[in-house]
Amino acid sequence: MSRYEPGQIEAKWQEAWDKAGVFTATRDAARPKYYVLEMFPYPSGRIHMGHVRNYTMGDVVARYKSSCGFSVLHPMGWDAFGMPAENAAMERGGHPKDWTYGNIADMRGQMKPLGLSIDWSREFATCDPEYYGQQQAMFLDMMDKGLIYRKAAVVNWDPVDMTVLANEQVENGRGWRSGALVERRELTQWFFKISDYAEDLLEALDGLKDWPEKVRLMQANWIGKSRGLQFAFETIGAPDGFEKLECYTTRPDTLMGAAFAGISPDHPIAKALESDPKVAAFLAQCRLGGTTAEALETAEKIGFDTGIRVKHPLNPDWELPVWIANFILMDYGTGAIFGCPAHDQRDFEFATKYGLPINPVFVAEGAAEAPLTEAFIPMKSERVQYVRALDGNRVMTGDEGVAQAIALAEARGFGQGVTKFRLRDWGISRQRYWGCPIPVVHCATCGVVPEKKENLPVELPYDVSFDKPGNPLDRHPTWRDVACPKCGAAAKRETDTMDTFVDSSWYYARFTAPRATTPTVAEDAAYWMNVDQYIGGIEHAILHLLYSRFFARAMNETGHLPEKAREPFNALFTQGMVTHEIYLTRDANGRAVYHLPEDIIRSEAGATLKDGTVVEVIPSAKMSKSKKNVVDPMNIIADFGADTARWFVMSDSPPERDVEWTSSGAEATAKHLGRVWRLADEISRDTTAPTDEDQALARAAARAIVDVTYGIENFAFNKSVAALYGFTNTLAKAKAGAEARKSAMRIMAQLMSPMVPHLAEEVWAMLGGEGLVARAPWPKADPALLVEDSVTLPIQINGKRRAEISVPKDMPASEVEKIALANEDVIKFLAGQPVKKFIVVPGRIINVVV
RNA sequence: GCGGGUGUGGUGGAAUGGUAGACGCGACAGACUCAAACUCUGUUUCCGAAAGGAGUGUCGGUUCGAGUCCGACCACCCGCACCA
């Protein structure tokens, strides 16, 4: 008897697939196409269980669709630009390029043994000049279309290292290397005009029927369409040129509850007042801390009374003080608000702190006006009693109050109803080396000049060093100093590079023609687009997906994608994350140093490093490179084979849910696959004559086909796996004849093939299956075998299950009722009480109400 | 702080508003074995000897019937625009 030896069979079948070119994607007009894509990985150097889970899901879909007759495109590439490469260069020396390509080679070497059905001939990395050169070409096309501009924007500034920090590099308001308090500082930066598409991006969400509802909701909230009033306060005592203060509010119905006017620390008026040392000191205080929304909104609310007054638009005798407040964002609305403490929690806290009046505009319907202990903020759809309405107090909803206020403001001419979006333009400038260079030149006479297309790619210079803080491109004279493409005079290249989100916003399109000398090729894009099934982490629900949707529109308008690809992803599946505990120690400055799970020794007492140092254990979180809480799947592959790793990540947890990695279970999976192997081996040598159980086995196989197919179609791979466990148990126990068992085993091989393709090929071959199972058409269940003649109906009495009866499938309800009421247990539980109601749900349940 | 999600046995989880706990892990018992491993068979939500009762984070509601729908709360997770 032979043994299941994954190490041998996996290599053998991978070679067989390669030789037969099973996974090479080809345009085939005769067949429908199917494009399945998993979010491509960052080449950290090691694959982890999250990758295995993500790519196995895509592989199951790709292999299944291929069996169903589709021409499948299933590519793989590398999201290869980004900070970790520069961090590695700073920490360990070496070059980001060498580090990145080395990591790619390592990761490819780890992924290949998984036996994924990937067309590797299409592989590319975003740091290939052939890729980012095409990105630069599109940047120039988008510039032509007016989709790109420059403006000042705020960055995290480390005053000690004299460098810009990413949000990730800010820890508790301090720079991660220097430990210095981070400041907010303005730089001139490049922006994509994504806000032009706000309405389109919002409305088109309705058409994304095969996207998770929660992702569409998150995107809609992110885009944040609001209807409100824009109006101007007349100012008293403001600097010249600021006779008006423009405000935007979504609650103009609360205008009579105004207690103050507030402006952002970045507002032009605040800047105009900065010559006053007190104002300057206050603004400096506001600029401490990071740039994230979270940092801004959780910071303690502080304010500064400017002494400026504004006239209330409805009563010129009513004057309000103008405060600078740190919780007002310059990016949203006009950067100025009126504060209504009674109906906004932030304003309430602010007013309480600085002793400003708190006057309610409305109270709960039927309630009396009373002092508030917190802001009263009912849903806008809720009816409330107005007590300080703009125009006549009455009971109405907030929405009605807002509409009335806008109408009144427009009639009196002090404001207009306007629609605004929360979505800001996409800032893409990064003051870093390892990214796609922005292909423009700054000339003293011509200004900002696009690089000529024939000079693309603007390639990153290799001879750079990371021994000083800041961007090495800034101090690389032979790269930076160039002739102006327009006038030929001495000029300087733009040294900012692009956000890596740009790289990942069009890679799906590039896979359709990865070697082309243009960004895309019309025929290839027309055939392969759109992505039929996109699979990736929920953490990308907003930014990556929104940017990609924007980019697809921009590519359509610049002629790089067809109209149908403006929404590039037909269906989206967001897998849950693989989580793991985090282990950390503290360095001399008290900052966190993270450790890999494989370096940790866990005992009952706690966790330590190998040298005995005690480590802090933080509860499970997303596996991430920076936190080092990653698990290495290579050990499982080495010990048990790729099929075990694949089966393991597909079983148990529903794909959309997070899964906590535990090492137990891999052995059990290997056991099961060994059992399938032995069963196949035994059946292949069976010579039993047909028996009367043959039909029952055929029925079980038909049931398995339906259940496994349902699981794959609905992204419930765990249910497909469960159905296969059940089918294995049934087949192992079946006393059927050899032919029936062989037939069932071949169906098993086919049904298992998307999850455990190597074992499936081996079983298929053992049982005389024709050719490769990877090329065999997906089995179909004979409907006749699925029909059940009788059903078991549970009987509930007052909603509690008390008995069950077995009746023919099509028995009419009146007959069922007679049989149910004659049932011994039913009679016992009814105890002679009269039946009030008798409910029969055909084929499901009976409920007797007494 | 704002937005989104999750919560079911010892454990991962299953359940178109219709028998809660499928399937797997673990545990326990048995068979095989000189013995062990492997393998095979069975038991396994809790309380109870049983009859029966309780039970899907907490509290309330809708319904003949709620894990599922609605409301409030608690806990945990994700995102918040320079991590990818």
Side-chain angles (χ1 to χ4, degrees):
Chain A
M1 181 175 151
S2 54
R3 284 185 39 187
Y4 174 45
E5 287 177 41
Q8 285 177 18
I9 66 165
E10 289 179 0
K12 178 177 79 182
W13 290 110
Q14 284 167 21
E15 209 183 310
W17 296 326
D18 270 355
K19 219 171 184 179
V22 186
F23 309 131
T24 306
T26 43
R27 270 164 48 194
D28 179 352
R31 284 191 296 162
K33 67 89 189 179
Y34 198 89
Y35 183 2
V36 55
L37 182 67
E38 303 104 48
M39 290 180 186
F40 66 166
Y42 179 80
S44 59
R46 303 297 295 176
I47 64 168
H48 57 68
M49 290 316 295
H51 293 126
V52 175
R53 195 172 183 223
N54 188 201
Y55 305 135
T56 304
M57 282 178 201
D59 201 45
V60 169
V61 173
R63 286 174 178 272
Y64 167 73
K65 288 291 177 182
S66 177
S67 294
C68 292
F70 290 89
S71 176
V72 169
L73 172 58
H74 185 208
M76 182 57 65
W78 309 97
D79 191 10
F81 274 135
M83 293 203 310
E86 288 187 38
N87 293 337
M90 279 180 253
E91 281 163 19
R92 297 189 281 280
H95 193 282
K97 182 176 175 180
D98 303 333
W99 185 86
T100 302
Y101 280 104
N103 282 351
I104 288 173
D106 288 348
M107 276 180 87
R108 190 194 301 115
Q110 292 161 36
M111 281 170 71
K112 288 235 170 154
L114 282 170
L116 301 168
S117 65
I118 285 166
D119 179 358
W120 285 102
S121 73
R122 290 173 185 257
E123 176 191 356
F124 62 77
T126 56
C127 62
D128 296 341
E130 295 76 21
Y131 181 81
Y132 71 72
Q134 299 304 329
Q135 187 165 305
Q136 291 169 338
M138 285 196 294
F139 183 94
L140 298 178
D141 291 342
M142 286 169 71
M143 256 179 115
D144 276 348
K145 283 269 176 191
L147 290 172
I148 300 178
Y149 68 99
R150 298 173 83 210
K151 71 169 180 188
V154 182
V155 294
N156 296 306
W157 180 257
D158 185 321
V160 171
D161 277 353
M162 303 290 279
T163 188
V164 176
L165 297 178
N167 286 335
E168 189 192 50
Q169 298 171 318
V170 179
E171 291 172 355
N172 300 322
R174 292 174 182 274
W176 67 342
R177 281 181 214 286
S178 68
L181 283 172
V182 169
E183 297 168 10
R184 290 194 285 270
R185 180 178 275 209
E186 282 195 337
L187 291 183
T188 301
Q189 311 211 53
W190 289 93
F191 284 83
F192 285 153
K193 272 193 172 172
I194 191 173
S195 63
D196 279 5
Y197 294 79
E199 187 82 58
D200 182 18
L201 289 168
L202 180 66
E203 279 186 8
L205 287 172
D206 286 340
L208 299 175
K209 304 279 185 234
D210 291 321
W211 281 43
E213 184 58 41
K214 63 177 171 183
V215 174
R216 292 191 283 164
L217 185 59
M218 279 193 256
Q219 292 217 351
N221 287 336
W222 187 259
I223 293 168
K225 185 177 182 173
S226 66
R227 177 78 180 159
L229 179 73
Q230 184 154 342
F231 68 97
F233 281 117
E234 235 177 86
T235 60
I236 303 167
D240 283 350
F242 296 107
E243 286 70 32
K244 301 258 181 202
L245 176 62
E246 284 283 339
C247 286
Y248 174 74
T249 175
T250 57
R251 287 312 295 261
D253 56 323
T254 64
L255 204 42
M256 296 306 285
F260 62 98
I263 60 174
S264 163
D266 299 313
H267 194 278
I269 293 183
K271 289 183 177 169
L273 297 172
E274 206 164 355
S275 53
D276 177 342
K278 279 192 215 148
V279 176
F282 177 76
L283 294 184
Q285 197 186 344
C286 288
R287 284 182 194 130
L288 284 175
T291 60
T292 65
E294 187 192 1
L296 295 175
E297 286 177 38
T298 53
E300 199 200 337
K301 289 168 189 58
I302 52 173
F304 181 90
D305 188 347
T306 60
I308 300 170
R309 295 289 176 267
V310 292
K311 293 182 182 173
H312 195 283
L314 288 164
N315 177 0
D317 297 331
W318 182 2
E319 291 184 5
L320 299 169
V322 177
W323 287 67
I324 305 170
N326 65 337
F327 62 89
I328 301 171
L329 306 175
M330 192 60 216
D331 290 314
Y332 190 49
T334 60
I337 61 154
F338 76 84
C340 178
H343 303 295
D344 183 293
Q345 191 57 33
R346 290 166 306 182
D347 295 348
F348 184 90
E349 286 167 30
F350 192 79
T352 306
K353 180 167 179 176
Y354 293 105
L356 297 161
I358 300 169
N359 294 317
V361 172
F362 47 76
V363 296
E365 203 177 350
E369 193 177 330
L372 294 166
T373 53
E374 60 177 358
F376 175 52
I377 311 162
M379 301 276 285
K380 271 194 211 170
S381 55
E382 204 173 293
R383 289 162 62 82
V384 290
Q385 171 67 56
Y386 278 77
V387 295
R388 281 188 188 79
L390 267 56
D391 186 21
N393 292 328
R394 57 192 173 92
V395 173
M396 59 185 162
T397 66
D399 286 318
E400 286 162 356
V402 169
Q404 191 195 59
I406 291 173
L408 183 122
E410 288 180 343
R412 301 226 190 138
F414 71 82
Q416 310 84 43
V418 291
T419 298
K420 281 202 193 291
F421 295 90
R422 204 183 72 103
L423 180 66
R424 310 203 297 255
D425 278 333
W426 175 12
I428 61 151
S429 289
R430 299 291 181 271
Q431 296 70 39
R432 292 175 215 296
Y433 165 77
W434 194 232
C436 172
I438 293 175
V440 301
V441 170
H442 298 275
C443 171
T445 42
C446 309
V448 175
V449 183
E451 184 55 270
K452 289 183 179 153
K453 271 201 179 171
E454 59 263 35
N455 292 337
L456 300 183
V458 174
E459 216 168 314
L460 288 169
Y462 184 79
D463 54 334
V464 289
S465 66
F466 293 88
D467 46 1
K468 290 179 219 129
N471 181 354
L473 295 176
D474 267 339
R475 45 173 198 266
H476 190 296
T478 57
W479 185 83
R480 191 190 59 195
D481 298 338
V482 289
C484 169
K486 209 184 221 171
C487 70
K492 288 193 191 317
R493 271 198 199 293
E494 171 67 61
T495 57
D496 281 357
T497 52
M498 294 185 207
D499 179 7
T500 57
F501 271 123
V502 181
D503 311 335
S504 56
S505 288
W506 71 287
Y507 76 109
Y508 51 87
R510 183 68 179 171
F511 276 134
T512 65
R515 309 285 171 245
T517 52
T518 47
T520 56
V521 172
E523 301 80 58
D524 290 304
Y527 181 76
W528 290 115
M529 287 301 286
N530 295 345
V531 176
D532 293 282
Q533 182 66 59
Y534 196 32
I535 305 169
I538 184 67
E539 67 272 26
H540 294 294
I542 299 176
L543 293 181
H544 162 63
L545 290 166
L546 194 64
Y547 292 153
S548 293
R549 295 177 62 220
F550 160 70
F551 228 82
R553 284 162 169 76
M555 285 177 75
N556 170 235
E557 282 162 33
T558 49
H560 298 299
L561 275 180
E563 179 76 20
K564 68 168 181 180
R566 284 174 70 91
E567 278 299 341
F569 311 124
N570 290 350
L572 171 71
F573 184 84
T574 54
Q575 64 177 108
M577 286 172 287
V578 180
T579 61
H580 198 280
E581 290 174 331
I582 296 170
Y583 309 104
L584 67 85
T585 53
R586 302 277 172 181
D587 69 6
N589 298 320
R591 283 199 303 278
V593 178
Y594 296 100
H595 301 280
L596 293 165
E598 61 222 51
D599 297 334
I600 302 296
I601 299 165
R602 291 230 62 167
S603 66
E604 282 172 32
T608 59
L609 295 178
K610 283 171 184 147
D611 66 7
T613 312
V614 175
V615 298
E616 284 180 57
V617 180
I618 295 175
S620 272
K622 172 176 79 164
M623 286 190 178
S624 83
K625 311 164 268 304
S626 59
K627 300 279 196 293
K628 293 197 175 168
N629 58 336
V630 291
V631 165
D632 196 336
M634 297 317 289
N635 299 332
I636 292 178
I637 297 174
D639 292 349
F640 304 109
D643 281 341
T644 289
R646 295 172 57 115
W647 184 268
F648 181 72
V649 294
M650 288 296 95
S651 55
D652 289 351
S653 270
E656 68 277 11
R657 192 140 1 140
D658 288 355
V659 56
E660 163 77 7
W661 172 260
T662 60
S663 50
S664 69
E667 265 182 59
T669 298
K671 263 188 215 175
H672 175 73
L673 297 184
R675 185 171 175 229
V676 171
W677 171 278
R678 282 192 306 278
L679 188 59
D681 183 60
E682 184 257 309
I683 288 175
S684 72
R685 289 180 282 106
D686 188 10
T687 55
T688 313
T691 76
D692 53 7
E693 285 198 24
D694 289 4
Q695 179 75 353
L697 182 57
R699 297 175 86 96
R703 193 72 248 162
I705 292 171
V706 170
D707 291 347
V708 172
T709 306
Y710 174 88
I712 294 174
E713 291 268 6
N714 292 284
F715 268 88
F717 307 116
N718 54 323
K719 291 181 211 167
S720 294
V721 168
L724 284 164
Y725 270 113
F727 185 37
T728 307
N729 288 338
T730 305
L731 178 51
K733 287 175 189 167
K735 303 272 186 287
E739 280 317 308
R741 296 177 79 213
K742 282 178 184 169
S743 166
M745 197 70 217
R746 277 193 296 270
I747 290 172
M748 174 89 74
Q750 288 183 281
L751 296 179
M752 291 179 88
S753 67
M755 294 85 163
V756 285
H758 313 88
L759 175 61
E761 290 289 2
E762 195 68 19
V763 170
W764 183 253
M766 259 190 241
L767 287 144
E770 213 173 298
L772 292 167
V773 75
R775 285 226 160 119
W778 193 251
K780 283 196 170 58
D782 177 356
L785 292 174
L786 295 169
V787 179
E788 307 276 346
D789 342 316
S790 72
V791 296
T792 301
L793 289 181
I795 301 173
Q796 294 184 334
I797 292 168
N798 285 343
K800 282 196 186 301
R801 181 178 170 279
R802 296 299 186 184
E804 64 179 36
I805 54 173
S806 186
V807 297
K809 185 169 157 284
D810 300 320
M811 182 178 267
S814 56
E815 291 292 310
V816 173
E817 181 169 350
K818 276 183 209 157
I819 294 173
L821 291 176
N823 181 283
E824 268 179 48
D825 289 327
V826 173
I827 291 167
K828 188 178 108 196
F829 277 98
L830 288 180
Q833 298 172 82
V835 173
K836 280 195 201 141
K837 205 165 175 183
F838 194 91
I839 295 154
V840 178
V841 183
R844 279 305 205 176
I845 202 164
I846 297 163
N847 194 8
V848 186
V849 185
V850 295

